[in-house]
Amino acid sequence: MAEDLTITKTGTKEEQYQSLIPQITALLYGETDLIANLANVCAALKEQFGWFWVGFYLVKDGELVLGPFQGPVACTRIKLGKGVCGASWERAETLIVPNVDEFPGHIACASASKSEIVLPLYQGGKIIGVLDVDSEYLAHFDEVDSQYLNQIIKLLDA
């Protein structure tokens, strides 16, 4: 298991992802504990991109429950269909929200969050949670983030 990251802040966002993905792959190699892997993915993404908040919510007893994350304290439980995370879970799709204040039913866990991307996390073909990433900047996320974050979370479906 590699336990050091080489953070590259130069280059395009795409180049930064391309540098980070092999490192995350090495970080996860041989580790079977989901929580440990989720925690390390959060840390790697936060280190590389400096986002306001990055973390996972896991499906437990019919709701999303806060899992490993990096950033300020967060909402602990989210119902199916509620907020961006609950909507991503319910729709089984990646949601990119350029302005969270314009998303119907947005849950404001932190008022500093301005934009968000949420991706379903699968294991064995079943959604077991979501990856939630927040930025303090409007329209911070795009299809490049969606493409590469989906690649990263697929590494967790082992």
Side-chain angles (χ1 to χ4, degrees):
M1 173 198 303
E3 290 163 342
D4 287 325
L5 294 177
T6 303
I7 301 301
T8 306
K9 298 287 185 177
T10 59
T12 65
K13 178 169 38 175
E14 191 167 17
E15 291 168 336
Q16 291 180 49
Y17 277 115
Q18 290 170 350
S19 170
L20 186 62
I21 287 174
Q23 296 181 78
I24 289 176
T25 301
L27 189 64
L28 300 177
Y29 179 76
E31 180 53 63
T32 59
D33 187 87
L34 178 64
I35 300 301
N37 287 334
L38 297 178
N40 272 332
V41 168
C42 288
L45 290 170
K46 178 81 167 162
E47 284 293 310
Q48 177 64 55
F49 295 104
W51 292 318
F52 178 72
W53 197 91
V54 57
F56 290 92
Y57 283 91
L58 300 173
V59 176
K60 293 184 181 179
D61 299 324
E63 61 187 348
L64 293 171
V65 179
L66 182 63
F69 72 94
Q70 297 275 315
V73 296
C75 299
T76 305
R77 295 178 182 273
I78 299 173
K79 303 250 183 248
L80 180 67
K82 301 298 179 188
V84 182
C85 290
S88 175
W89 173 30
E90 181 177 55
R91 299 176 195 173
E93 65 184 33
T94 298
L95 296 179
I96 299 171
V97 181
N99 182 345
V100 295
D101 292 331
E102 295 176 355
F103 188 87
H106 174 252
I107 301 169
C109 296
S111 61
S113 176
K114 301 296 180 208
S115 62
E116 189 169 2
I117 184 170
V118 180
L119 306 94
L121 173 65
Y122 290 89
Q123 208 165 52
K126 180 181 175 186
I127 295 177
I128 62 160
V130 297
L131 169 61
D132 179 20
V133 184
D134 294 16
S135 174
E136 65 272 33
Y137 304 106
L138 290 170
H140 193 93
F141 304 106
D142 57 24
E143 289 303 319
V144 171
D145 297 294
S146 176
Q147 175 189 344
Y148 286 100
L149 289 172
N150 269 298
Q151 285 181 34
I152 290 168
I153 61 174
K154 282 179 183 165
L155 296 171
L156 296 162
D157 186 5

